Amino acid sequence: MKRIPGSIKLVVITFYCLAGLFALIQTDAFAKDASTQQGKAQQLSKLDNATCLGCHELSNGSLHVSGAKSESGQPHGISQEKFVKSVHNEMQCVTCHKEITDASSPHKLGPGPKPDCVACHLELWETAKKENLTNEKARLGVVVRNVETYKNSFHARPNADDKTRVNAACDDCHNTHIFSVPPQGTTRRTDWHLTIPMVCGENCHADQLEEYAESIHGKNVLEMRNLKAADCTDCHTSHSITSTLKNTFKLSITENCGTCHTENLDTYRDTYHGQVNKLGYGYTAKCYDCHGSHGILSPSDPKSKVHPNNRLKTCQKCHKEATQGFVTFSPHANTSSFERYPQVWIVSRFMWSLLAGVFIFFWLHTGLWWYREAQDRKARKVHPERRKESK
Amino acid sequence: MTHRVVDELPEQHGKQIRRFGLIWRIAHLCFALSVMLLILTGMSVFYSETTWAPFIMQMFGGPKAAGIVHRTSAAIMLGIFFLHLIGVTTNIVRNWKTFKFFGPDSLIPNWQDILDIFRMFKWFLGKGPRPVFDRWTYWEKFDYWAVFWGMGIIGSSGMMLAFPNVTASFLPGWAFNVAMIVHGEEAFLAAVFLFTVHFFNNHFRPDKLPPPDVVMFTGSVPMDEFKREHTAQYNRLIQSGDLKKHLVDTPPRALTLGSKILGLTLIAIGLTLLVLVIIGFVG
């Protein structure tokens, strides 16, 4: 071999080495690029609903992950079966859950906001209004109206114990993931409606639920599935719930009872208690002052607060000096039932005839008088001499 | 004969005939004011379902305050009524010998009133001349006795409601139900009667136009009106020569003007109340 000078050799070797290194670096870089792309694709597929439900599906049982929150802090499972029937079935989990950016367990929460029914729905409604779709999307208007009334309600106020929370948020009453409002008149609607006492009572208002379950309304709703009887929301409303100490409550609750008990409301309105209430003052007896609120029973039930045996005590809450005679006053007397209220029946007939008699006589008297006197005056104007004559 | 005397009578310039003494006029004014307050406060409870009622309640500051106004007015009214009873009784006792219970100066209804009613209807139907009246016409007597009836019925039922514990100590509870109905219906009767029939008879008849008739405030009527409205009394007084006893000076212009303003104000209030009651009745 021809003798190659050592310096050239060095250059060549260096070249090859550099080229090799370059190639090495190149492939490494390519490989890295490929792996990130592959990772992205993997991640995308992991954030779809199926992936999320892979861990969060109800039938999986509770999530047991090391490093996760304590047992009690474990999230509830989500029923895919129900989710696909819910009002949000077409949505991606992550459209609402902007705070979730990975599919690992436990999650590393991202900076995105937690889902918020109110903000999202106000925006949806604004968009619908802009696009003139308010008729097609009327139901979205219902949501927004409920949001509006809810905002003024007792539940929207900060909780006394934990100021960062409201008393009850939308998702405390409505399970976001399975929330569906079945059409009126279907058995699904009935089922849904019948859950209301449980929704209110299970976690928050256990005492009221317990008392309610024993009442005539509770028995009708919970045992006989009678939708016509009052559940919590028939008396309290669902979204404009107010503090029971407020005057507005004391006035509206009476109307709410009256939506079903129309006759009793009417007769109540004929008494001083009801008249004052109608005028906007809540201090006289309201339906619940006499009947109770959650433990309402039929008046013939010996435990009812208005049963003759207990009535005196009920009235004495306000009428301190009430006597047994006082309490036979009928808070629901009407003028049409002789069997139940004979005295009232007789007296009302008497008064009506008196009024009719007096007015028939005197209005006839007045009318004729007017006519005759006017005629006479006209005649006198035409023949002024008659006036003198008549004197 | 009568005719001659009438014409002979010197024109009484500056003179009117006195019909109501000062005490009666004050009593009537107090009655009018208290009955209007009673109607306003009472009807806004009775017709609590109207839109106007809550406003009135707010104006008074709530049903408790309105209740105090109602009871105070009732006390004034009953007070005057009983004072009047005492006055009338002493008057009758004092004049026991001469008092004619069924005479023309008495307010007690008599046979003549029945005849007058028939004659009046005959006239209405164009079947007879216009009847002439003495001091008290039958409708004036009715106005007077209606107060007795009203006081008895509204007053007693009102007292039952105002003192429920006393009532309950000797009456059963249904007495409240009955008292409520009687009190309300009778008050309705009184209000509507006053603001239609009473107003018409005294202020809105064609012969009385334009309103108001101020005799209840000035106490006296001009001679020609007296002659027209109480012809029989006029003739009687002329014949007995007692007319002079009833003559008084024409009230000063200021009094007449003041009475007119007062009268119109009361009429306006009364008609407003009537409208409110009608709204309540219809709505």
Side-chain angles (χ1 to χ4, degrees):
Chain A
M1 216 183 153
K2 252 178 128 194
R3 198 174 154 209
I4 297 161
S7 56
I8 292 176
K9 263 188 204 163
L10 198 74
V11 170
V12 170
I13 288 167
T14 318
F15 175 72
Y16 271 112
C17 282
L18 279 173
L21 192 69
F22 185 65
L24 222 128
I25 292 167
Q26 278 291 70
T27 35
D28 193 49
F30 181 79
K32 261 199 183 151
D33 202 56
S35 80
T36 35
Q37 269 185 9
Q38 200 186 353
K40 257 194 193 149
Q42 249 179 14
Q43 242 175 354
L44 267 185
S45 72
K46 271 187 188 164
L47 290 184
D48 67 6
N49 288 2
T51 316
C52 306
L53 286 168
C55 288
H56 286 288
E57 163 62 41
L58 180 67
S59 54
N60 290 356
S62 58
L63 291 156
H64 284 293
V65 184
S66 56
K69 289 178 186 167
S70 66
E71 185 86 15
S72 62
Q74 297 292 354
H76 299 98
I78 293 161
S79 154
Q80 179 168 18
E81 193 198 334
K82 286 186 175 157
F83 180 77
V84 296
K85 284 191 206 137
S86 85
V87 290
H88 296 118
N89 58 357
E90 284 173 15
M91 293 173 73
Q92 291 293 317
C93 310
V94 286
T95 321
C96 286
H97 288 285
K98 294 208 169 70
E99 83 277 23
I100 302 292
T101 52
D102 63 6
S104 52
S105 101
H107 296 283
K108 241 195 236 137
L109 292 187
K114 286 189 150 203
D116 176 1
C117 328
V118 175
C120 182
H121 270 277
L122 289 183
E123 208 179 301
L124 280 177
W125 187 236
E126 283 308 314
T127 322
K129 276 202 275 192
K130 266 192 217 118
E131 293 168 356
N132 266 332
L133 289 175
T134 45
N135 279 340
E136 291 82 348
K137 302 204 166 176
R139 292 286 306 167
L140 288 180
V142 175
V143 180
V144 170
R145 262 204 307 285
N146 287 351
V147 169
E148 289 304 324
T149 45
Y150 164 80
K151 274 186 181 162
N152 295 322
S153 81
F154 187 70
H155 282 142
R157 291 214 231 126
N159 188 272
D161 300 329
D162 176 3
K163 294 262 187 276
T164 60
R165 293 187 53 235
V166 293
N167 283 325
C170 311
D171 53 280
D172 285 324
C173 297
H174 300 298
N175 186 328
T176 330
H177 303 113
I178 61 172
F179 184 36
S180 64
V181 188
Q184 289 275 6
T186 59
T187 45
R188 280 203 299 131
R189 176 88 184 194
T190 312
D191 290 340
W192 181 67
H193 198 86
L194 290 173
T195 62
I196 289 173
M198 295 303 160
V199 171
C200 306
E202 249 169 7
N203 292 324
C204 302
H205 303 296
D207 293 351
Q208 285 82 6
L209 176 59
E210 197 181 316
E211 207 187 340
Y212 168 78
E214 295 299 311
S215 78
I216 185 157
H217 293 134
K219 286 220 172 90
N220 267 279
V221 170
L222 300 172
E223 290 170 23
M224 293 173 233
R225 294 173 57 88
N226 177 5
L227 278 186
K228 290 210 180 88
D231 62 31
C232 316
T233 56
D234 288 316
C235 292
H236 289 285
T237 75
S238 16
H239 300 113
S240 39
I241 291 172
T242 52
S243 157
T244 53
L245 300 174
K246 271 187 156 179
N247 204 40
T248 44
F249 174 82
K250 293 176 180 167
L251 303 179
S252 64
I253 191 82
T254 325
E255 297 290 339
N256 293 348
C257 305
T259 52
C260 301
H261 300 287
T262 38
E263 255 181 50
N264 290 88
L265 178 66
D266 285 349
T267 51
Y268 167 72
R269 289 271 183 251
D270 288 340
T271 68
Y272 191 70
H273 293 141
Q275 287 163 336
V276 170
N277 188 269
K278 182 77 194 173
L279 288 169
Y281 301 83
Y283 67 90
T284 55
K286 297 156 291 294
C287 316
Y288 67 87
D289 287 316
C290 292
H291 289 283
S293 41
H294 303 125
I296 293 173
L297 296 167
S298 168
S300 54
D301 188 315
K303 280 191 283 198
S304 160
K305 291 177 71 180
V306 295
H307 185 271
N309 295 348
N310 313 328
R311 216 179 279 176
L312 182 60
K313 219 173 113 211
T314 304
C315 305
Q316 276 175 341
K317 264 198 306 189
C318 302
H319 300 281
K320 299 268 180 303
E321 289 152 44
T323 56
Q324 198 60 45
F326 185 71
V327 301
T328 55
F329 166 72
S330 303
H332 297 292
N334 64 43
T335 52
S336 55
S337 166
F338 180 76
E339 292 74 34
R340 279 185 82 170
Y341 311 106
Q343 302 90 357
V344 173
W345 192 92
I346 293 171
V347 167
S348 61
R349 302 301 121 133
F350 172 75
M351 290 308 297
W352 294 340
S353 350
L354 178 72
L355 260 68
V358 170
F359 285 130
I360 287 175
F361 178 81
F362 275 101
W363 282 346
L364 188 67
H365 188 265
T366 297
L368 290 172
W369 192 348
W370 181 294
Y371 169 77
R372 176 55 54 201
E373 204 161 288
Q375 287 308 91
D376 278 13
R377 286 178 78 83
K378 234 192 279 164
R380 281 203 299 269
K381 256 191 208 133
V382 183
H383 312 280
E385 70 284 355
R386 286 235 187 114
R387 177 161 198 159
K388 273 214 179 119
E389 260 171 39
S390 75
K391 267 195 192 171
Chain B
M1 167 72 186
T2 333
H3 220 235
R4 231 193 67 237
V5 183
V6 175
D7 289 340
E8 257 175 22
L9 197 85
E11 271 311 306
Q12 300 285 349
H13 279 300
K15 292 284 174 193
Q16 291 197 342
I17 296 285
R18 173 160 151 149
R19 258 174 81 69
F20 301 107
L22 184 63
I23 304 244
W24 289 97
R25 287 182 265 151
I26 293 175
H28 176 268
L29 181 60
C30 292
F31 253 50
L33 291 173
S34 56
V35 88
M36 283 173 173
L37 273 176
L38 282 164
I39 290 172
L40 184 62
T41 48
M43 283 300 162
S44 45
V45 172
F46 192 66
Y47 288 126
S48 54
E49 75 278 15
T50 57
T51 39
W52 57 262
F55 286 103
I56 306 287
M57 267 305 144
Q58 270 167 18
M59 208 177 79
F60 281 99
K64 284 181 188 163
I68 293 173
V69 174
H70 196 81
R71 282 158 216 216
T72 314
S73 310
I76 292 174
M77 200 163 197
L78 283 172
I80 292 173
F81 182 68
F82 281 113
L83 282 180
H84 143 273
L85 273 190
I86 294 170
V88 169
T89 321
T90 42
N91 193 34
I92 292 180
V93 171
R94 241 188 247 143
N95 303 318
W96 189 256
K97 293 264 159 55
T98 53
F99 189 79
K100 289 203 202 74
F101 281 91
F102 295 101
D105 286 321
S106 163
L107 275 161
I108 295 173
N110 55 29
W111 188 237
Q112 180 64 35
D113 293 319
I114 310 281
L115 291 180
D116 283 346
I117 293 176
F118 279 107
R119 292 208 188 104
M120 198 70 169
F121 271 92
K122 262 191 180 161
W123 172 60
F124 288 162
L125 299 173
K127 298 224 153 48
R130 182 174 187 153
V132 293
F133 296 96
D134 208 290
R135 180 161 173 191
W136 305 116
T137 64
Y138 62 84
W139 64 87
E140 285 164 343
K141 289 186 185 177
F142 186 90
D143 280 356
Y144 179 76
W145 290 103
V147 177
F148 277 74
W149 169 257
M151 284 292 150
I153 298 295
I154 311 191
S156 57
S157 58
M159 292 308 255
M160 282 171 64
L161 294 169
F163 302 101
N165 295 322
V166 180
T167 313
S169 63
F170 67 97
L171 285 175
W174 58 258
F176 290 109
N177 294 93
V178 167
M180 286 282 289
I181 291 189
V182 169
H183 196 74
E185 300 288 332
E186 184 67 35
F188 175 88
L189 173 67
V192 176
F193 185 87
L194 283 173
F195 303 141
T196 59
V197 179
H198 179 74
F199 271 16
F200 172 81
N201 290 349
N202 296 296
H203 304 289
F204 290 115
R205 274 195 280 135
D207 276 355
K208 295 262 184 175
L209 294 176
D213 181 351
V214 292
V215 58
M216 244 318 168
F217 300 129
T218 61
S220 54
V221 282
M223 191 60 80
D224 58 341
E225 190 184 330
F226 179 64
K227 265 191 252 177
R228 191 177 73 229
E229 297 284 331
H230 299 280
T231 318
Q233 184 189 11
Y234 176 80
N235 292 341
R236 185 161 57 82
L237 291 178
I238 293 289
Q239 257 155 5
S240 67
D242 284 342
L243 187 69
K244 286 219 166 52
K245 280 192 209 157
H246 296 263
L247 287 180
V248 289
D249 289 341
T250 300
R253 273 181 59 84
L255 177 61
T256 313
L257 187 68
S259 301
K260 281 203 169 141
I261 294 172
L262 180 61
L264 283 178
T265 314
L266 291 180
I267 289 174
I269 298 176
L271 292 180
T272 312
L273 288 171
L274 179 65
V275 170
L276 296 184
V277 170
I278 291 173
I279 293 174
F281 181 77
V282 175

